Amino acid sequence: MPLSIKNVLVCDAVDKSCVELLQEHGINVTYKLKLPVDELCKEVKKFDAAIVRSDTKITAEVLAAGAGSLKVVGRAGAGVDNIDVPAATKHNVVVLNTPGGNSISACELTCILIGALARPVVPAGQSMKEGRWDRKLYSGTELYGKTLAILGLGRIGREVAIRMNAWGMKIIGYDPITTEAEAKAAGIEKLTLEEIWPQADYITVHTPLIPATRNLISTETLAKCKQGVKVVNVARGGIIDEQAILDGLESGKVAGAAFDVYPEEPPKSVITKALINHPKVVATPHLGASTAEAQVRVAVEVAEQFIALNGTSPKYTTYAGVINKEALAHYQ
Ligand SMILES: O=C(O)[C@H](O)COP(=O)(O)O
């Protein structure tokens, strides 16, 4: 049975370049953002495909509701943790993402947050808006000569290494798959986690959230770190144990933390809110991929893969972001 995508439901704020490209190829697009789950279940029955970012959750319930009509879910971004991939496979729904489209933006936000932990630009800027001139309060530290540990040496981790190397930081890193030679090519000395903890002045995480990475930075691992370590999470909420960071900030073990992602988004828990409000924390609302360039890139990449799946244009032939090849096999 050929895979034919004629009607697409866009569920999150995806750049219009996606819609334009799909429409140029005869595919109808409907925008329905932030639908409550019951309405989403009703809507998916009417479409061949849906496009999401991280806001809309494509759960087993949604996929069961769309069974028989929904054939593809496109993720305009990297993480597919908001899509129940096993349930999608069960219902022959192809899940695809745009793996590299927003890496540079996520990397750049990480570097900016590392900088914001070294130099208190966020509170100093706020003090100016409040009419104060407190030069002594907002002194910082140099990044030059400090050691940055990168946990997870995929696309984003390696790009962070290249940039922070240029600032004179020593870069060490851990990844179970990346080879020493690949790490070295990005200026990273690959070490074991046990070697990393006592050396790092800054730690930034760039892994997916999986059982092996949940609470990778915890009370136990922080105990092995330097006094005054600083941590950054632009990857996924849950990789860093928020309570451990709050405790570390109080004891002085942790000198600063920057978070762009949270276990629940938008955050509701008392712990996350305490963290966001802590004076030594810089918090942003999941902005890693929120740049004009990244959003155009991921939007176009999703559309190109949909057109490639339809097989209607010789110009678009790759759908390399397909996650569940088993579901794709159903249509080939
Ligand atoms: O997984 C991703 O691609 C990033 O976390 C970005 O998510 P977003 O598309 O919801 O901004």
Side-chain angles (χ1 to χ4, degrees), residues 53-55 75-79 102 235-236 286 289-290 295:
R53 284 178 62 189
S54 60
D55 288 338
R75 161 63 161 118
N102 56 30
R236 278 294 177 272
H286 201 147
S290 295
Q295 284 313 308

Side-chain angles (χ1 to χ4, degrees), residues 73-95:
V73 175
R75 161 63 161 118
V80 290
D81 39 345
N82 55 323
I83 304 166
D84 188 329
V85 178
T89 308
K90 186 176 133 198
H91 294 295
N92 300 317
V93 176
V94 175
V95 177

Side-chain angles (χ1 to χ4, degrees), residues 75-248:
R75 161 63 161 118
V80 290
D81 39 345
N82 55 323
I83 304 166
D84 188 329
V85 178
T89 308
K90 186 176 133 198
H91 294 295
N92 300 317
V93 176
V94 175
V95 177
L96 61 87
N97 70 351
T98 59
N102 56 30
S103 307
I104 295 294
S105 291
C107 151
E108 288 184 359
L109 182 66
T110 305
C111 299
I112 289 163
L113 291 177
I114 292 170
L117 291 180
R119 306 295 291 272
V121 288
V122 176
Q126 185 58 34
S127 77
M128 292 284 284
K129 289 184 196 302
E130 290 163 8
R132 287 183 279 127
W133 183 259
D134 284 332
R135 295 186 67 204
K136 277 193 191 142
L137 267 184
Y138 300 114
S139 184
T141 50
E142 290 186 347
L143 290 172
Y144 179 80
K146 302 295 189 303
T147 298
L148 170 65
I150 304 178
L151 309 184
L153 303 176
R155 287 183 191 85
I156 301 170
R158 281 188 254 173
E159 294 290 348
V160 170
I162 291 164
R163 283 154 187 77
M164 298 325 290
N165 231 331
W167 280 64
M169 296 192 89
K170 178 184 173 190
I171 316 291
I172 57 177
Y174 171 78
D175 189 290
I177 299 162
T178 308
T179 65
E180 259 175 59
E182 285 167 335
K184 202 172 164 199
I188 306 161
E189 184 186 355
K190 197 183 161 202
L191 300 174
T192 65
L193 285 172
E194 292 310 309
E195 288 169 321
I196 282 176
W197 304 125
Q199 291 190 44
D201 296 303
Y202 289 78
I203 306 175
T204 180
V205 295
H206 297 284
T207 67
L209 177 67
I210 53 173
T213 61
R214 184 175 290 282
N215 296 334
L216 183 58
I217 299 186
S218 62
T219 304
E220 197 193 348
T221 51
L222 280 175
K224 299 173 187 171
C225 292
K226 279 186 185 173
Q227 191 72 8
V229 68
K230 294 177 180 174
V231 302
V232 178
N233 188 359
V234 178
R236 278 294 177 272
I239 300 169
I240 299 182
D241 178 5
E242 294 183 334
Q243 184 63 57
I245 298 301
L246 271 176
D247 295 344

